[in-house]
Amino acid sequence: MFCPTPELTSRAELTLTRRHLLMGFTSVVGASAAIAIPVEPLTRRGTPQLTTGPFYPLDRPFDQDWDLTRVPGRPGVAQGVIMDLHGKVTTEQGRPVPGAILDVWQTNGLGRYHHPSDTVGKPIDPNFQGSAVIRADVDGDYRIRTVVPLPYERRQRHIHFDVRGEKRLLVTQMFFPGEPNERDTLFPGLRNEVLQRAVTAELVGIDNGVKTFRWNIVLAGE
């Protein structure tokens, strides 16, 4: 249900071009560049906008489906703690956004992005997809299976999202509960608890070592 279509592949290519323009100098200076990027203007009712960061995927595997823990043709499973993430994309009024496109990327379970400018010295995991381009269903629901990302430098655990509805494009990041997010370079810029809760997932449960989180996304102005 969430496998990418040719339309999604084209979407990823268009987004990549836009990322080149947005990232500019940040794409060549590594993770520390994120420290200098200010938080973008926040919305009051929608999920807050947050910076793209310097590691938007430049080279994607052909497989961009909802399961980032396996790569076709390779027998292994991604290293790290497996997690399921699900949620709903809605408008401010609570209406689902059917067919919303979610572009997702993150570090692997070892703390490294699949990006040439990530030079932290952590290894690339050949069994980790690294990114995904999926579509929400008719009820606005989405799901991905991935690994819990590791913190790096002055960033806490987070997953990047680029979400497009019919009218609204949202670039943001999802944080994890129970983490020292106040030490993050971006999280404290969300200066009230309402905004901080809006970017923090909820831990639903743990089953056989797999953590399940829920995070709903609100597109303001959709």
Side-chain angles (χ1 to χ4, degrees), residues 95-136:
R95 295 191 301 270
V97 181
I101 298 174
L102 296 88
D103 188 355
V104 184
W105 67 100
Q106 63 168 87
T107 64
N108 62 27
L110 304 171
R112 166 121 182 226
Y113 285 95
H114 186 72
H115 192 286
S117 293
D118 186 349
T119 56
V120 297
K122 303 293 180 62
I124 290 176
D125 183 351
N127 295 312
F128 183 60
Q129 190 170 293
S131 62
V133 180
I134 61 173
R135 187 186 294 275

Side-chain angles (χ1 to χ4, degrees), residues 7-8 11 14-15 18-19 47 49 88-92 95-103 133-142 161-172 217-222:
E7 177 185 353
L8 296 187
R11 157 73 179 137
L14 290 173
T15 304
R18 178 168 58 82
R19 290 290 174 235
T47 300
Q49 295 268 1
K88 185 181 289 289
V89 183
T90 69
T91 67
E92 298 166 78
R95 295 191 301 270
V97 181
I101 298 174
L102 296 88
D103 188 355
V133 180
I134 61 173
R135 187 186 294 275
D137 65 18
V138 295
D139 296 316
D141 294 321
Y142 75 91
F161 281 79
D162 180 328
V163 185
R164 181 179 291 277
E166 293 183 0
K167 303 175 183 177
R168 173 72 166 160
L169 173 66
L170 171 70
V171 179
T172 191
I217 301 168
V218 180
L219 297 182
E222 179 70 13

Side-chain angles (χ1 to χ4, degrees), residues 80-212:
V81 178
I82 304 296
M83 60 170 278
D84 282 329
L85 173 65
H86 64 90
K88 185 181 289 289
V89 183
T90 69
T91 67
E92 298 166 78
Q93 294 75 32
R95 295 191 301 270
V97 181
I101 298 174
L102 296 88
D103 188 355
V104 184
W105 67 100
Q106 63 168 87
T107 64
N108 62 27
L110 304 171
R112 166 121 182 226
Y113 285 95
H114 186 72
H115 192 286
S117 293
D118 186 349
T119 56
V120 297
K122 303 293 180 62
I124 290 176
D125 183 351
N127 295 312
F128 183 60
Q129 190 170 293
S131 62
V133 180
I134 61 173
R135 187 186 294 275
D137 65 18
V138 295
D139 296 316
D141 294 321
Y142 75 91
R143 176 196 173 196
I144 62 171
R145 168 162 283 203
T146 183
V147 297
V148 176
L150 291 188
Y152 61 91
E153 293 191 347
R154 293 173 59 186
R155 297 303 315 277
Q156 299 301 312
R157 302 179 196 272
H158 63 280
I159 298 177
H160 294 265
F161 281 79
D162 180 328
V163 185
R164 181 179 291 277
E166 293 183 0
K167 303 175 183 177
R168 173 72 166 160
L169 173 66
L170 171 70
V171 179
T172 191
Q173 300 177 24
M174 186 205 83
F175 291 83
F176 287 78
E179 301 287 335
N181 292 323
E182 67 279 359
R183 301 177 189 173
D184 187 80
T185 57
L186 297 182
F187 191 86
L190 303 168
R191 298 186 183 279
N192 65 65
E193 293 183 3
V194 173
L195 294 175
Q196 292 177 354
R197 286 199 302 270
V199 297
T200 305
E202 173 190 0
L203 178 61
V204 177
I206 305 175
D207 185 15
N208 292 325
V210 176
K211 294 187 174 183
T212 298

